[in-house]
């Protein structure tokens, strides 16, 4: 089997997809189920159909593009990622796994390989938490990690529920049907940019993921008392933003003092009400994103934050309510998928690093129902979730090549 990745075509497809965006280039913004996201999805579907894949979408908008194997009733081998992008993002997060996965399938087809098990490209809906506050909604539903009832009720910032938003986008089926049947995949591999600096620092072009860190996210609401910025004397204030500021620093401190660099915590949203220059903030809503490779340590940091929050409540006479949106366990990648990836690397003489994924991915949830692995490629300076995110066409093509070989090993040949 002689596999050749069409690097130029893949690169040009990445550029075309980046232009379907709500941000000024080079930034990319593609929030799930917006007209822009729907346009991007339609374009990717057209590429899949052009490649001869059978395309279908479930009630949540997860897209399946299948190359039927000779044993089409047997469990499939999956690959894929997401094309939604956070505000002011780059071109590669998720996209490399979708378009690289498609090119891997096209390369296998061109080589004359015919799979025994079907090979399926899966484009997950809503990997990013931007719209509904919780990431990986598509894969949570596919894996049954989140119930259809709970997902349907989640709301975006405008108060629209998941159910309303997905129906407006044209997905009217039953959310209960999104969960994949047992044994649907015999293996799943996601190609992704590293989103960290380790591969680049080690000057190694490929990373095989051993485990994926455990993410948790919370919505925190701080209620104080508003009033006139001139009239209310300082000792009488219950300023919700000052309380939030203390809490944000306590969050930073909890992560810094956990005893390991693997604990990371971020407050990325801060909504201040009423948001007027001369009005004391009466209500603040912040988000907390906290992760660790070690579940006990992450939960310990969450407890430290909770204790700090109670102290701030008492000291500043405000009320602080936390809602845990998700607190997921980490995942180990499957030995058989890791072996398919490392054998492919060795056959080509490509060095690789075995590593932990500190970012979360849909693979975290797929791993609950199928043997799952991930292949990383470097991104410049480790930058991601910013417009200057960059991966070289050579690294992307190398990743797609190793992915293609791993898919072939997992799917087996029909000949
Ligand atoms: C995924 O986008 C993450 O935030 O890790
Ligand atoms: Mn992302
Ligand atoms: Mn991603």
């Amino acid at each position: 089997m002689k596999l050749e990745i069409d690097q130029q075509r893949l690169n040009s497809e990445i550029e075309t997809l980046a232009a379907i965006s709500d941000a000024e280039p080079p930034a990319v913004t593609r929030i799930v189920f917006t007209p822009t996201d729907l346009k991007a999805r339609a374009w990717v579907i057209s590429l899949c159909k052009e490649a001869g894949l059978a395309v279908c979408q479930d009630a949540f908008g997860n897209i399946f593009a299948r190359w039927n194997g000779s044993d089409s009733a047997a469990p499939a081998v999956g690959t894929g990622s997401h094309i939604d992008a956070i505000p002011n993002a780059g071109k590669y997060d998720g996209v490399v796994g979708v378009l690289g996965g498609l090119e891997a399938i096209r390369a296998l087809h061109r080589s004359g390989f015919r799979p025994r098990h079907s090979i399926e490209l899966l484009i997950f809906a809503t990997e990013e938490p931007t719209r509904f506050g919780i990431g990986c909604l598509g894969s949570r539903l596919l894996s049954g990690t989140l119930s259809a009832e709970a997902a349907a009720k989640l709301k975006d910032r405008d108060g629209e529920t998941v159910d309303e938003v997905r129906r407006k986008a044209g997905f009217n089926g039953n959310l209960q049907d999104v969960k994949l049947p047992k044994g649907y995949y015999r293996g799943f591999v996601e190609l992704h940019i590293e989103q960290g600096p380790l591969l680049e620092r080690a000057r190694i072009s490929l990373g095989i993921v051993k485990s994926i860190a455990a993410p948790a996210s919370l919505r925190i609401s701080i209620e104080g008392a508003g009033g006139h910025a001139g009239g209310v004397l300082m000792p009488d204030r219950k300023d919700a933003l000052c309380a939030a500021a203390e809490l944000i620093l306590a969050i930073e401190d909890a992560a810094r003092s956990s005893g390991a660099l693997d604990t990371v915590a971020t407050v990325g949203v801060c909504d201040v009400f009423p948001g007027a220059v001369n009005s004391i903030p009466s209500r603040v809503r912040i988000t907390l994103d906290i992760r660790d490779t070690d579940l006990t340590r992450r939960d310990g940091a969450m407890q430290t934050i909770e204790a700090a929050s109670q102290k701030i409540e008492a000291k500043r006479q405000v009320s602080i309510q936390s809602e845990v949106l998700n607190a997921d366990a980490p995942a180990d990648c499957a030995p058989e998928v890791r072996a398919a990836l490392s054998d492919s690397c060795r056959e080509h003489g490509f060095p690789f690093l075995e590593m932990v994924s500190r970012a979360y991915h849909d693979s975290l949830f797929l791993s609950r129902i199928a043997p799952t692995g991930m292949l990383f490629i470097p991104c410049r300076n480790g930058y991601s979730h910013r417009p200057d995110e960059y991966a070289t066409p050579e690294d992307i093509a190398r990743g797609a090549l190793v992915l293609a070989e791993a898919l072939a090993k997992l799917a087996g040949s029909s000949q």
Side-chain angles (χ1 to χ4, degrees):
M1 179 173 65
K2 173 123 178 61
L3 277 177
E4 272 170 24
I5 297 296
D6 188 340
Q7 181 176 313
Q8 216 176 344
R9 175 176 183 182
L10 178 51
N11 202 45
S12 124
E13 287 174 348
I14 291 172
E15 293 300 322
T16 305
L17 187 51
I20 309 177
S21 155
D22 285 322
E24 275 300 302
V28 176
T29 298
R30 218 165 24 236
I31 311 300
V32 73
F33 299 146
T34 55
T36 302
D37 178 57
L38 294 176
K39 190 171 162 194
R41 295 163 57 92
W43 181 74
V44 172
I45 288 174
S46 71
L47 286 188
C48 293
K49 287 187 175 162
E50 228 174 78
L53 305 179
V55 178
C56 64
Q57 299 183 72
D58 66 19
F60 190 60
N62 293 303
I63 303 168
F64 302 81
R66 183 174 272 240
W67 180 13
N68 276 315
S70 57
D71 189 356
S72 59
V77 172
T79 187
S81 195
H82 62 101
I83 60 165
D84 61 327
I86 66 161
N88 208 36
K91 297 174 189 168
Y92 303 91
D93 175 5
V95 167
V96 161
V98 170
L99 296 177
L102 176 59
E103 176 54 22
I105 292 175
R106 288 189 303 226
L108 284 167
H109 199 266
R110 287 193 297 267
S111 75
F113 174 79
R114 295 293 173 262
R116 186 162 92 75
H117 290 263
S118 301
I119 297 183
E120 188 167 81
L121 181 70
L122 175 45
I123 301 147
F124 297 97
T126 321
E127 193 269 352
E128 299 291 4
T130 312
R131 186 147 191 179
F132 298 110
I134 169 170
C136 300
L137 265 183
S139 51
R140 285 176 195 273
L141 285 167
L142 289 167
S143 60
T145 315
L146 182 70
S147 72
E149 299 75 33
K153 282 191 254 163
L154 291 168
K155 286 186 180 156
D156 67 9
R157 274 200 203 175
D158 297 330
E160 276 200 293
T161 62
V162 160
D163 219 32
E164 287 160 349
V165 173
R166 60 135 189 156
R167 284 180 195 281
K168 274 193 200 163
F171 302 106
N172 291 304
N174 190 345
L175 274 189
Q176 310 273 1
D177 298 341
V178 173
K179 186 168 181 235
L180 291 174
K182 211 169 175 314
Y184 183 85
Y185 285 124
R186 74 191 308 255
F188 189 88
V189 203
E190 180 172 1
L191 172 66
H192 207 282
I193 55 169
E194 182 201 338
Q195 304 184 287
L198 301 183
L199 287 173
E200 191 181 61
R201 280 187 197 157
R203 295 179 191 279
I204 292 181
S205 290
L206 293 160
I208 297 178
V209 174
K210 294 184 287 189
S211 60
I212 307 174
S217 58
L218 286 82
R219 268 193 199 129
I220 303 174
S221 172
I222 301 137
E223 301 272 348
H228 195 286
V232 183
L233 297 177
M234 296 310 282
D236 298 333
R237 294 194 182 203
K238 295 174 184 170
D239 184 323
L241 185 55
C242 291
E246 263 194 59
L247 181 56
I248 293 168
L249 291 177
I251 288 169
E252 185 191 39
D253 191 54
R256 281 185 191 271
S257 59
S258 81
L261 286 175
D262 284 346
T263 322
V264 287
T266 307
V267 174
V269 171
C270 181
D271 289 330
V272 181
F273 184 83
V277 176
N278 53 356
S279 178
I280 299 163
S282 60
R283 186 178 72 224
V284 172
R285 297 216 166 110
I286 60 173
T287 55
L288 166 61
D289 176 309
I290 180 161
R291 312 173 188 211
D292 206 313
T293 49
D294 183 279
L295 191 58
T296 312
R297 199 169 46 217
R298 185 205 66 197
D299 288 347
M302 286 171 75
Q303 279 158 16
T304 307
I305 292 167
E306 178 52 33
S309 154
Q310 285 173 13
K311 272 198 194 141
I312 295 164
E313 254 187 324
K315 183 175 124 194
R316 290 189 168 268
Q317 295 192 306
V318 295
S319 143
I320 305 181
Q321 304 292 331
S322 300
E323 182 194 359
V324 178
L325 296 174
N326 65 289
D328 302 299
D332 286 329
C333 290
E336 61 269 45
V337 180
R338 287 171 61 183
L341 289 166
S342 55
D343 289 349
S344 308
C345 288
R346 282 191 197 100
E347 283 159 22
H348 285 278
F350 295 150
F352 61 89
L353 206 63
E354 295 200 296
M355 58 200 308
V356 170
S357 170
R358 280 161 222 287
Y360 61 71
H361 302 279
D362 292 300
S363 287
L364 179 63
F365 299 99
L366 259 283
S367 74
R368 317 284 196 229
I369 53 160
T372 297
M374 291 193 76
L375 180 64
F376 277 175
I377 56 164
C379 51
R380 190 173 57 199
N381 298 327
Y383 292 165
S384 183
H385 282 185
R386 41 189 280 180
D388 51 358
E389 181 183 83
Y390 180 73
T392 68
E394 294 75 22
D395 283 339
I396 297 171
R398 194 180 295 107
L401 177 65
V402 171
L403 172 66
E405 302 232 353
L407 292 175
K409 286 183 202 303
L410 293 167
S413 165
S414 68
Q415 282 110 36

